[in-house]
Amino acid sequence: AQKITQTQPGMFVQEKEAVTLDCTYDTSDPSYGLFWYKQPSSGEMIFLIYQGSYDQQNATEGRYSLNFQKARKSANLVISASQLGDSAMYFCAMRDLASSNTGKLIFGQGTTLQVKP
Amino acid sequence: DSGVTQTPKHLITATGQRVTLRCSPRSGDLSVYWYQQSLDQGLQFLIQYYNGEERAKGNILERFSAQQFPDLHSELNLSSLELGDSALYFCASSAPLGERTDTQYFGPGTRLTVL
């Protein structure tokens, strides 16, 4: 069965510094997608970045980048130059791309990030 | 703003009651997903509809049902409510199946409180 593990319940980072949020996954499917979402205290889920299992390069979106290590089954999110507005819960999620019938996402437990001024 | 709308934003009701949560997907999206977020279970997939038809079911209770209408909006019906049903319910939508990224965009959620 597919599983996402986020081992850091909470993290602190100083403003303007970079931070890495860990995510490991487990799947036997060769084709899958990995997503990161941000959930601020207001509650909405905001899509940040996507990495496909066959993508040759690590995904980047502005200050967000994904450190994808397929052999280790990890997909860590790197946030550069942290801002106070980055304080939120971050979720790693996976979708099985081999099954065209469903796009359901499996989520990790989340990591709470607090940015210190 | 993701383009996905959900109403109501908050809902407070009593045990045993029935409620309906509504979702309008992003323009052009055919797939609608429902998720439940609770403190003990985390984020759980409930059900997916694609162009009006049920496509996949997750951990959805028999007391819960959903449908997607011809205009592609979706409703999640929760009946015989229990205290444990209190949660944040998200709707998400994505582009037609077959697009590899198939990113799901989430609505703001409906916070349900059962007293």
Side-chain angles (χ1 to χ4, degrees):
Chain A
Q2 295 180 326
K3 187 178 179 182
I4 292 281
T5 302
Q6 294 180 255
T7 57
Q8 306 155 313
M11 289 194 67
F12 289 93
V13 65
Q14 206 67 35
E15 192 178 10
K16 298 180 185 176
E17 290 185 352
V19 62
T20 298
L21 306 184
D22 294 342
C23 171
T24 58
Y25 59 92
D26 189 19
T27 182
S28 56
D29 298 311
S31 181
Y32 50 88
L34 296 158
F35 302 79
W36 278 91
Y37 287 85
K38 172 185 178 182
Q39 186 177 36
S41 58
S42 51
E44 71 268 32
M45 292 284 286
I46 302 167
F47 165 71
L48 296 178
I49 197 167
Y50 165 84
Q51 179 84 45
S53 59
Y54 291 120
D55 292 343
Q56 295 297 314
Q57 293 188 324
N58 286 346
T60 60
E61 287 285 348
R63 293 186 299 110
Y64 305 108
S65 60
L66 208 151
N67 184 2
F68 181 47
Q69 297 187 44
K70 197 169 180 176
R72 300 176 71 176
K73 293 190 174 180
S74 73
N76 299 339
L77 177 70
V78 180
I79 305 174
S80 62
S82 296
Q83 302 172 356
L84 295 178
D86 293 334
S87 294
M89 178 84 91
Y90 289 81
F91 289 95
C92 180
M94 177 168 60
R95 187 205 154 197
D96 170 20
L97 293 175
S99 169
S100 60
N101 282 336
T102 175
K104 75 174 187 181
L105 292 174
I106 296 168
F107 285 87
Q109 289 302 105
T111 294
T112 300
L113 176 67
Q114 292 194 27
V115 180
K116 293 182 174 179
Chain B
D1 186 350
S2 67
V4 179
T5 60
Q6 287 187 250
T7 56
K9 193 165 176 61
H10 300 278
L11 200 49
I12 301 174
T13 188
T15 54
Q17 295 298 305
R18 172 189 168 94
V19 297
T20 297
L21 312 183
R22 184 189 167 101
C23 166
S24 291
R26 295 186 317 158
S27 177
D29 284 357
L30 301 181
S31 279
V32 168
Y33 308 80
W34 287 97
Y35 292 86
Q36 179 194 59
Q37 185 179 30
S38 61
L39 282 173
D40 53 346
Q41 298 286 337
L43 267 159
Q44 300 276 324
F45 167 74
L46 294 179
I47 196 164
Q48 176 196 356
Y49 279 83
Y50 177 76
N51 203 19
E53 294 191 1
E54 182 184 303
R55 187 59 67 105
K57 257 185 177 179
N59 301 322
I60 187 166
L61 299 171
E62 285 190 11
R63 301 183 286 108
F64 296 1
S65 65
Q67 54 185 325
Q68 186 179 28
F69 295 87
D71 67 353
L72 300 177
H73 91 271
S74 178
E75 293 181 356
L76 179 67
N77 300 296
L78 315 177
S79 61
S80 303
L81 285 167
E82 302 175 359
L83 296 178
D85 298 327
S86 295
L88 186 54
Y89 291 84
F90 284 109
C91 168
S93 74
S94 67
L97 291 176
E99 295 192 11
R100 287 196 63 213
T101 58
D102 205 18
T103 296
Q104 293 180 29
Y105 293 91
F106 282 71
T110 293
R111 185 168 295 281
L112 173 66
T113 303
V114 183
L115 301 176

